[in-house]
Amino acid sequence: MKNFSTVVARAAAVALVACAAASPVQAANCAFRPNAPDQHVVVKGDTLWDISGTFLQNPWCWPQVWGMNRDEIRNPHWIYPGQVIYFDRARGRLSLTRPGGDERSAPPTTRLSPQVRTEALDRDALQSIPAGMIEPYLTQPLVVEGDELAGAPRIVASQEGRVYLGTGDRVYVKGNVQGGANFQVFRPGGVLRDPQTGKVLAHEAAYLGSVALDTEAKPGVDVHTFRVTETRQEIGVGDLLIPLPPAPVRNYMPHAPLQPVDARVMSIYAGVTYAGQSQVVTVNRGSLDGLDVGSVLQLYHLGKTIVDPAHKGVFGIGKQQIKLPDEQYGSLFIFRVFKNVSYGLIMQVTAPVEVGDVARSPE
């Protein structure tokens, strides 16, 4: 797996080196791999998940081996192609400085002559997971929770009464746009129901396109005038609007959730029965349950309950049952979080993922 980007200045690499002086790996399940190399030269296409898996038995342990605090996990420092990551075996941690060197020293500097230079800050920075696999899920609604459905503006009429609309067409929208100018158009789809409680947590949304405000409703007029700026599917009367989300956060750092999370796989994107590595699923926990972007959960098949072969009873009477343990078979990287629902990318599985599977905090 390759690629991932974050949002910090190149000079922040100095701070990352300083973080490496913090405590070594504490948890037993954050052990280094027996065959971990002494160093790794970062190349274009590497990801933090890949590199972490090169050194550690569990890639989500990356923040611990750098001694990162919670704020640094939310705003991780960049690592660039060409840098060397060293394994300090004596102290059980990773560093951008060769073991025995001065960890507080800054990376080499390059002397520049006075002139105007421009450079994208995140152009070459390492990404945590393959960005291309989750890009479509970052800017489209996908999940619409109940409170959003209740107050969403809706298209009530179209230019010249057209049934379906294309780019450049006018649409008339009723509802409170709350001062917004750019909106996404969606159509509610199937419900997302909690596998444990049966409660409807949200609705899946079919992303149709986007519209921009031309004219707000004036006194005596009940609708706002919008113009279609993009179409992915046919847009029509009755479709709903939600504000265009801000640019997606890219500073994901794999880490264990701040608090214990016990979730269930609620749906598999595209409605298939089974999912494999690099596919997307939803779980029935969100920000209200302690999940945030970058949280890693372990996937388990729910342990079955069987009849004890030695105590089957007579005609089913007096039989005894045995609960088998949940079987851990993979991990899930949470990349988009709503209040009650989250989307995750399946990582490193040894068996297919099914709806109802357990997704819980690493042990």
Side-chain angles (χ1 to χ4, degrees):
M1 295 193 205
K2 307 293 177 189
N3 291 333
F4 190 86
S5 68
T6 53
V7 203
V8 181
R10 185 183 294 267
V14 180
L16 180 55
V17 175
C19 288
S23 59
V25 180
Q26 299 291 333
N29 56 0
C30 281
F32 284 94
R33 297 174 64 92
N35 60 345
D38 293 327
Q39 65 184 55
H40 175 82
V41 179
V42 180
V43 299
K44 188 173 182 179
D46 274 346
T47 66
L48 293 181
W49 186 275
D50 292 334
I51 296 174
S52 181
T54 299
F55 290 97
L56 293 157
Q57 292 183 355
N58 292 303
W60 56 264
C61 292
W62 180 269
Q64 295 192 40
V65 301
W66 289 100
M68 297 178 110
N69 60 37
R70 198 68 185 171
D71 289 335
E72 289 164 330
I73 289 173
R74 292 193 181 99
N75 194 24
H77 304 299
W78 283 355
I79 296 177
Y80 292 88
Q83 289 182 303
V84 180
I85 298 175
Y86 296 98
F87 178 14
D88 187 341
R89 297 180 184 274
R91 286 178 284 187
R93 62 170 182 253
L94 300 179
S95 172
L96 294 177
T97 303
R98 187 183 299 275
D102 183 2
E103 294 185 351
R104 294 170 296 178
S105 62
T109 58
T110 302
R111 184 178 297 276
L112 301 175
S113 58
Q115 67 182 74
V116 175
R117 290 182 173 85
T118 61
E119 180 179 3
L121 291 177
D122 64 348
R123 184 182 64 185
D124 299 321
L126 241 65
Q127 303 180 341
S128 291
I129 58 174
M133 293 181 179
I134 63 172
E135 192 72 33
Y137 306 93
L138 298 179
T139 56
Q140 299 175 10
L142 296 180
V143 165
V144 181
E145 296 177 303
D147 51 352
E148 292 179 291
L149 277 175
R154 71 183 190 278
I155 297 174
V156 296
S158 63
Q159 178 182 355
E160 300 173 352
R162 296 177 183 176
V163 178
Y164 292 107
L165 306 160
T167 302
D169 288 342
R170 288 194 303 273
V171 294
Y172 303 102
V173 174
K174 184 176 182 180
N176 185 0
V177 297
Q178 300 179 349
N182 295 287
F183 289 78
Q184 293 178 322
V185 184
F186 71 95
R187 188 173 297 143
V191 298
L192 292 174
R193 196 178 299 274
D194 191 320
Q196 294 173 285
T197 67
K199 178 182 177 182
V200 174
L201 298 181
H203 291 75
E204 289 187 307
Y207 173 65
L208 308 178
S210 57
V211 295
L213 180 66
D214 269 356
T215 308
E216 284 196 67
K218 297 178 180 179
V221 177
D222 295 325
V223 297
H224 312 280
T225 302
F226 280 79
R227 189 171 298 276
V228 178
T229 57
E230 180 193 24
T231 56
R232 295 286 183 87
Q233 300 182 47
E234 291 180 328
I235 296 174
V237 172
D239 292 332
L240 305 178
L241 273 59
I242 61 173
L244 188 70
V249 177
R250 301 295 183 88
N251 54 336
Y252 314 132
M253 174 62 69
H255 60 275
L258 184 61
Q259 64 191 53
V261 173
D262 185 9
R264 297 291 184 274
V265 174
M266 189 163 52
S267 70
I268 298 171
Y269 192 71
V272 297
T273 304
Y274 300 99
Q277 186 164 321
S278 302
Q279 289 186 265
V280 171
V281 300
T282 61
V283 296
N284 62 337
R285 297 290 183 268
S287 59
L288 296 180
D289 307 291
L291 284 179
D292 61 351
V293 172
S295 292
V296 176
L297 303 176
Q298 290 180 326
L299 290 167
Y300 296 82
H301 286 313
L302 197 63
K304 298 179 180 179
T305 299
I306 64 172
V307 175
D308 187 342
H311 300 86
K312 294 183 178 180
V314 179
F315 300 111
I317 300 174
K319 65 181 179 181
Q320 296 184 13
Q321 295 184 325
I322 299 175
K323 174 66 168 65
L324 301 181
D326 297 343
E327 296 289 343
Q328 200 265 329
Y329 67 94
S331 54
L332 187 69
F333 186 99
I334 301 299
F335 66 86
R336 191 169 185 191
V337 178
F338 301 85
K339 288 189 293 186
N340 299 300
V341 176
S342 297
Y343 275 82
L345 181 70
I346 299 169
M347 314 288 285
Q348 297 170 307
V349 289
T350 57
V353 181
E354 302 178 54
V355 171
D357 281 354
V358 176
R360 66 167 68 107
S361 299
E363 297 177 352

